[in-house]
Amino acid sequence: MTLLNTLANQVIGGTEKRVPQIPVMDNAIGHLLSELTEQATPEQNVLRAAGILSLCEHAGWQPAQRENLTLTPAPAETREVIDDRGTLQTLLNDAPQRLRYQALTQVATSGMRPAPRLLPALLELGRKEKLLSPAVKAVLGERGRWLANLNPQWDWVCAIPDENTAAEARERLTQDRSDLHARERAALLDVLAQDLSSADEPLLDAFLCDRSKEVRLAAAEMLSTLPDSAYVARMTSRVSALLHEKEETSLLLRLKKRLSGERVPEYQLDAPEQFADEWKQDALEEKKGAGERLGQRAWWLYQLIRAVPLRWWQQQLQATPAELLAWAANTDWQAVLLRAWLAATLRERNSEWAEAFVSLIPEGHINTNLADVYIDLFELLALMPLAQRQERIFHQLVAFDVNKQKSIRLGNLCSQLERTLPLEASPFDPQLAAQVVTTLHQWVQQKHAVYDYELRHAIGDIACLLPADMLDDVINHWPRDASQEPCCEEVLHRLSIVVAWRKNLQTLFSRENAL
């Protein structure tokens, strides 16, 4: 990477967020840079330095390399090189990310290491794809770590884990608050949220009255994740005052509900009549934004409910999430409750509530719009245990009518499914895998499948999730008439390639284990 590129990368987010470091060199170019950047603004410094470096590059000038660099020999390896016969090289170049992860994990588990010629490509892979960094790091060996020390771009290998990042953000927010730009305060709060504790409550309280709306809302959202905070107590108290038990219903009606097993909470919810002045101190907004569909009172109610922990509703109304959603449908504020509870479900990553919301989506659909609230299947599946995710997807595929589904493409369904599963996820269980293959074979025979462009890309990831004993079936039972369509032919071609890679990988490690 050139000095000009390095300078450009520093200012992508703006000079206010990060003051760029002008290259320092002990030569004529370095002296010129130093003279032109004296008593100038950061923006002027960048533009002047960029002009100088650009002219130097056009003239063919290159910065001098480090002199008197003494290289120490790489430490002796403790693992043998795996004889992969080019398999790993091919996977690193072209395979889906999931298959590359599987290959690297198997290398690490086998106690072997990749050939030295692959180390630069592996180090670049770990730098560019953060999800693969741990798997790459596990197979580098002594020479890989030694090589990483010679290139600043590969310093991720020896970098200290980010345990101190939240602590540093906490310190800056405490000591440098008045000197930080609003965007910096918001960014640091985002870092702090990764390691939040009750000890951060006083700090977050101070940001509830920040000049920046973005910062105020971020602080309020973070306080909502601390169930024992004073902020949550205040919001809960306000909602509680709006919740009342219904007047005594008739004995006959109560008996009828009890015999039918219906357990809808007997509570009535009201919306605030007016906006209290002290609510502003908790980052609540009196006026709704442009385009907000909720009414004024509903907007106030939504902000209050959104900050209340979901468990409070279950304890207060003695009901399950499914029962509470049914109760919401019988209130005047269903849209408010669904929207606020959905936001809280995503914030808390609550799998029980996620499952309840998923049950509102009709089978065969990947989303629904209920009371003007958009509910996305895959956003919620990501919160559920893996076994429940697979079970729900199985039912989704069973209900997927390939003859009628023109608005939902199988490629989109597969792509979103794959994204909900972590790289370390096990293959599909046999029931789900069989349904995936059946649905795929049925889908590619439909005329509208030729417009499913996403399937060409998603099929490789799905092939990585099929059990090993089903790899032959998915290819051998491919419908003959489907292969005549160019689009479906591309799907089959990509599928065949990934299946062949998986078999090669399986053979490779079977041979190594035998040895």
Side-chain angles (χ1 to χ4, degrees):
M1 183 178 291
T2 67
L3 291 176
L4 185 59
N5 288 336
T6 302
L7 181 63
N9 287 339
Q10 293 184 64
V11 295
I12 288 177
T15 56
E16 292 181 345
K17 188 173 183 179
R18 178 182 180 185
V19 178
Q21 300 297 315
I22 305 301
V24 177
M25 296 173 284
D26 188 16
N27 53 32
I29 303 299
H31 297 323
L32 179 59
L33 286 171
S34 177
E35 292 175 4
L36 290 180
T37 56
E38 288 180 356
Q39 298 180 345
T41 65
E43 292 82 2
Q44 291 172 328
N45 282 341
V46 171
L47 294 175
R48 291 174 179 176
I52 293 171
L53 295 175
S54 177
L55 286 173
C56 290
E57 285 190 13
H58 283 299
W61 174 83
Q62 293 184 350
Q65 301 299 314
R66 289 182 292 177
E67 298 178 358
N68 302 321
L69 179 63
T70 303
L71 290 179
T72 57
E77 292 286 0
T78 58
R79 294 185 171 195
E80 295 295 325
V81 174
I82 186 170
D83 180 16
D84 66 331
R85 301 179 183 179
T87 299
L88 293 179
Q89 179 73 67
T90 301
L91 296 181
L92 291 177
N93 291 339
D94 303 310
Q97 185 184 62
R98 188 175 296 273
L99 187 54
R100 282 180 281 168
Y101 175 84
Q102 293 171 353
L104 292 170
T105 302
Q106 287 183 276
V107 171
T109 304
S110 70
M112 308 289 281
R113 61 183 173 88
R117 69 178 184 279
L118 297 180
L119 291 177
L122 283 167
L123 288 165
E124 275 298 291
L125 180 66
R127 181 179 70 86
K128 294 177 179 178
E129 300 189 31
K130 300 303 180 185
L131 290 177
L132 292 178
S133 294
V136 171
K137 194 171 182 178
V139 301
L140 288 177
E142 298 297 334
R143 184 176 297 189
R145 288 186 284 273
W146 170 83
L147 185 62
N149 283 325
L150 302 179
N151 187 339
Q153 295 187 55
W154 296 336
D155 59 2
W156 63 268
V157 174
C158 302
I160 300 174
D162 294 336
E163 288 92 355
N164 296 324
T165 302
E168 293 171 0
R170 187 179 293 111
E171 183 178 356
R172 289 197 64 193
L173 287 168
T174 302
Q175 298 182 359
D176 306 331
R177 176 183 173 186
S178 59
D179 299 327
L180 296 172
H181 188 275
R183 285 179 297 179
E184 290 181 290
R185 298 196 297 276
L188 289 170
L189 284 175
D190 188 50
V191 174
L192 179 60
Q194 300 170 14
D195 187 31
L196 200 61
S197 71
S198 57
D200 296 312
E201 184 180 350
L203 176 62
L204 295 175
D205 276 331
F207 282 99
L208 288 175
C209 298
D210 195 271
R211 299 186 303 276
S212 166
K213 175 182 175 180
E214 181 185 4
V215 173
R216 293 196 303 271
L217 294 180
E221 185 75 1
M222 292 167 68
L223 283 167
S224 298
T225 66
L226 301 175
D228 298 323
S229 65
Y231 175 84
V232 167
R234 292 192 298 273
M235 304 298 275
T236 302
S237 176
R238 291 161 184 163
V239 172
S240 183
L242 300 170
L243 193 64
H244 311 284
E245 287 194 59
K246 285 185 177 180
E247 295 182 4
E248 196 68 29
T249 55
S250 69
L251 178 61
L252 181 61
L253 184 57
R254 281 185 290 161
L255 181 60
K256 181 181 177 181
K257 287 184 176 181
R258 185 168 298 179
L259 291 175
S260 66
E262 186 179 353
R263 289 187 54 195
V264 177
E266 297 294 336
Y267 280 85
Q268 178 177 329
L269 179 66
D270 297 320
E273 294 291 342
Q274 59 184 6
F275 189 90
D277 290 338
E278 64 268 18
W279 291 0
K280 293 181 180 179
Q281 299 175 10
D282 283 330
L284 271 67
E285 298 179 292
E286 182 175 4
K287 295 182 179 180
K288 60 180 184 177
E292 175 57 61
R293 295 187 178 184
L294 293 176
Q296 191 63 68
R297 294 175 61 206
W299 169 244
W300 299 337
L301 181 61
Y302 164 71
Q303 294 178 86
L304 294 172
I305 294 176
R306 178 189 170 101
V308 175
L310 294 169
R311 70 176 184 181
W312 180 85
W313 290 95
Q314 293 176 250
Q315 294 170 353
Q316 187 72 14
L317 276 66
Q318 290 295 296
T320 65
E323 291 166 350
L324 287 168
L325 291 175
W327 169 73
N330 295 319
T331 69
D332 295 330
W333 311 104
Q334 183 187 21
V336 172
L337 287 165
L338 290 183
R339 183 172 158 188
W341 284 344
L342 182 59
T345 297
L346 298 174
R347 181 182 66 233
E348 296 180 16
R349 302 192 62 79
N350 190 307
S351 61
E352 186 181 9
W353 276 82
E355 187 175 2
F357 270 108
V358 164
S359 68
L360 299 178
I361 303 175
E363 288 194 347
H365 292 72
I366 60 175
N367 55 60
T368 190
N369 198 307
L370 187 60
D372 211 24
V373 177
Y374 179 78
I375 304 173
D376 182 79
L377 171 66
F378 292 97
E379 187 176 43
L380 294 164
L381 283 180
L383 309 180
M384 296 164 60
L386 289 176
Q388 288 179 265
R389 294 186 211 177
Q390 294 206 24
E391 181 181 358
R392 178 66 195 195
I393 289 297
F394 170 75
H395 292 296
Q396 197 75 16
L397 289 172
V398 170
F400 187 87
D401 190 339
V402 296
N403 297 305
K404 298 180 180 178
Q405 290 288 7
K406 295 183 180 180
S407 59
I408 304 175
R409 309 291 186 203
L410 182 63
N412 178 255
L413 191 64
C414 290
S415 180
Q416 296 207 53
L417 164 61
E418 189 273 334
R419 282 197 289 268
T420 67
L421 300 174
L423 291 178
E424 64 272 16
S426 302
F428 293 146
D429 62 54
Q431 184 184 42
L432 175 58
Q435 187 60 49
V436 168
V437 173
T438 298
T439 305
L440 173 64
H441 288 168
Q442 293 174 347
W443 174 255
V444 294
Q445 296 180 74
Q446 308 306 310
K447 290 183 178 180
H448 44 264
V450 300
Y451 303 108
D452 192 355
Y453 304 109
E454 194 168 359
L455 184 59
R456 308 175 195 182
H457 304 286
I459 194 62
D461 295 303
I462 294 300
C464 297
L465 288 163
L466 293 175
D469 57 5
M470 293 195 67
L471 295 179
D472 287 328
D473 289 344
V474 70
I475 300 296
N476 295 338
H477 295 160
W478 189 267
R480 293 185 178 179
D481 54 339
S483 62
Q484 304 304 314
E485 292 288 347
C487 173
C488 297
E489 187 177 1
E490 289 181 31
V491 173
L492 176 60
H493 179 66
R494 179 62 175 171
L495 178 63
S496 302
I497 290 175
V498 176
V499 166
W501 284 338
R502 284 197 59 190
K503 287 184 175 181
N504 289 343
L505 204 58
Q506 188 177 3
T507 302
L508 170 64
F509 287 102
S510 296
R511 186 179 71 247
E512 291 298 332
N513 291 335
L515 294 176

